[in-house]
Amino acid sequence: MTAAQARPLEGIRVIDYSHFLAGPYLSRCLAALGAEVIKVERPTEGDAGRQHPFFIQGQSGYFLQQNMGKKGLCVNLKDARGRELMEKLVATADVFVENYRPGALARLGLGYEALSALNPGLVYCSVSAYGHTGPESHRAGFGLIAEARSGIMAMIGSPGEAPPLLRIALGDMVTGIHGVAAVNAALLGRIKSGRGQHIDLSLYDCLVSMHEYAGQCYTLSQGRVKPEQSGHDLPDSTLYGVFAARDGCLVIAAQVDASWKRLAPLVGGEAFAADVRFHSPQGRNAHRQEILPVVRAWTGARTVAQCLAALDAVDVPCAKVQDIGEVLEDPQIRARGMVVRQHHPVLGDVDLLNTPFRFSGCDTTLREPAPLMGQHNRRIAAELGFCAADIEAMVRDGVLYQEAAVAGLET
């Protein structure tokens, strides 16, 4: 057995000056890949994500999930000493992540132009609703806004009904993971150029880029074809959808010919399977209103477990529609290490979701919990060259702020 390799980003220092979700998720992934991530927050509220449920003993599970593995620095940048500390920190950093409205950080002297002057090698990643260019770049927005405008929301739900909310923050999460890719590419490019650069990511752009089907339908049809709400299946991929059983729901993916040939006799008998109208994707799409009732009747007469067993026996892709409890207890998820146990200084042991990266030579599981607000103030200030007396003065004057629970912890 060979020795474990270092994680890919070990030696890279990241300043996370972001809040809520897209930026924190981006930097959390960088931490999992080995980067040292310093979470910079403002006294006394800190990251707005700290105010988001689920709460336990005053700690936000939302914050814990997105900020694991980071160090915590809480500093008042309106004070000259806090500003000096931040400038020294930027000079040592490789990456700066922020997700404020365009122009907001420039007014504070924390924009790309100012920070790249301090550190020309800095990779500066901005996440915003609409990006830093275009007629709407000045507007605030959240994932919900981008989801509505992206065209994705218009395609989900049942025809004639208001589209449902996406109960995961798709816009924020996909933008965050695009940020991980872009930051790593910029770091690689820096090896040749010696310089960092500004990465401009928009939630709106990232969601629009996910249209693997609707966009090309519209452009190649000269605007005639626009995918619309279709409820529980895809009209252009018969049979591919959600079906109700006696005790729950399942999905079946038999849209390709090989799977259809195995499904058809199972759900409809030999005569149904022999119907030549259903022997091509185009034919099945054209006659989907004859196919769907047959499949629905078959699933409706059985339990989910009975459906899955029968479908698995003929190798038709299928799955139960699981709730989050079933997901987190799923043996496959447990085997893949997607639930990680961490020891939190206030809460004790907590179970949280892992990142999905799997490397052959190193473990990217974050064992360290999210920091308490200001947990590592003294340590970071000392590393940047501030003497003990100056650090204590900054603590006394509120330039360095920490939540009450930090007292007594080794920082």
Side-chain angles (χ1 to χ4, degrees), residues 113 126 138 211 295 297 299 374 401 405:
E113 296 300 327
S126 295
H138 65 285
H211 280 295
V295 181
T299 61
Y401 174 84

Side-chain angles (χ1 to χ4, degrees), residues 280-327:
S280 69
Q282 295 81 9
R284 290 192 292 276
N285 291 338
H287 299 284
R288 59 189 285 269
Q289 295 302 340
E290 296 177 57
I291 292 171
L292 290 173
V294 173
V295 181
R296 287 170 180 157
W298 183 83
T299 61
R302 294 162 175 80
T303 65
V304 170
Q306 289 170 336
C307 292
L308 297 179
L311 292 165
D312 283 341
V314 294
D315 196 24
V316 171
C318 59
K320 180 181 180 181
V321 177
Q322 298 189 137
D323 64 32
I324 191 62
E326 292 171 310
V327 172

Side-chain angles (χ1 to χ4, degrees), residues 313-356:
V314 294
D315 196 24
V316 171
C318 59
K320 180 181 180 181
V321 177
Q322 298 189 137
D323 64 32
I324 191 62
E326 292 171 310
V327 172
L328 296 184
E329 297 301 329
D330 191 322
Q332 178 66 20
I333 288 300
R334 291 285 176 170
R336 293 286 292 171
M338 280 303 298
V339 179
V340 59
R341 176 157 293 181
Q342 298 175 338
H343 186 77
H344 188 271
V346 173
L347 305 179
D349 289 342
V350 294
D351 288 342
L352 297 167
L353 293 180
N354 201 355
T355 50

Side-chain angles (χ1 to χ4, degrees), residues 100-103 128-140 200:
Y100 287 84
R101 195 185 305 199
S128 60
Y130 297 104
H132 281 236
T133 60
E136 298 191 61
S137 61
H138 65 285
R139 298 188 65 186
D200 176 9

